[in-house]
Amino acid sequence: MMIRVDEDLCVGNGQCVVVAPEVFDQRDEDGVSVVLVDRPDGRLAELADQAIRECPAAAIARLTDDG
Ligand code: SF4
């Protein structure tokens, strides 16, 4: 799977970084989430899924490999 953050939806509360700090970071200037590992697998994929569920803005998308 591939994950992507919609910068326009992200409210910068950092929940994804709390859940999956190896997958997400926040921009210093505005707190918007950036994806560090856009194709996580194994444990990181599970954490990314949890972050998707817990994101209050539904800003994290999970894409299939064909888009
Ligand atoms: S949890 Fe969602 S809204 Fe919060 S920083 Fe991460 S992507 Fe943005």
Side-chain angles (χ1 to χ4, degrees), residues 33-56:
S33 175
V34 294
V35 178
L36 301 176
V37 181
D38 66 0
R39 292 181 184 273
D41 56 15
R43 185 179 61 87
L44 293 187
E46 291 175 13
L47 291 174
D49 278 337
Q50 183 180 346
I52 289 169
R53 289 194 298 273
E54 295 189 15
C55 175

Side-chain angles (χ1 to χ4, degrees), residues 3 18 23 33 38 48 61 65:
I3 55 174
V18 171
V23 181
S33 175
D38 66 0
D65 275 339

Side-chain angles (χ1 to χ4, degrees), residues 5 9-17 26 31-33 51 54-60:
V5 169
L9 293 177
C10 175
V11 296
N13 74 334
Q15 181 64 21
C16 55
V17 180
Q26 284 178 279
V32 166
S33 175
E54 295 189 15
C55 175
I60 309 169

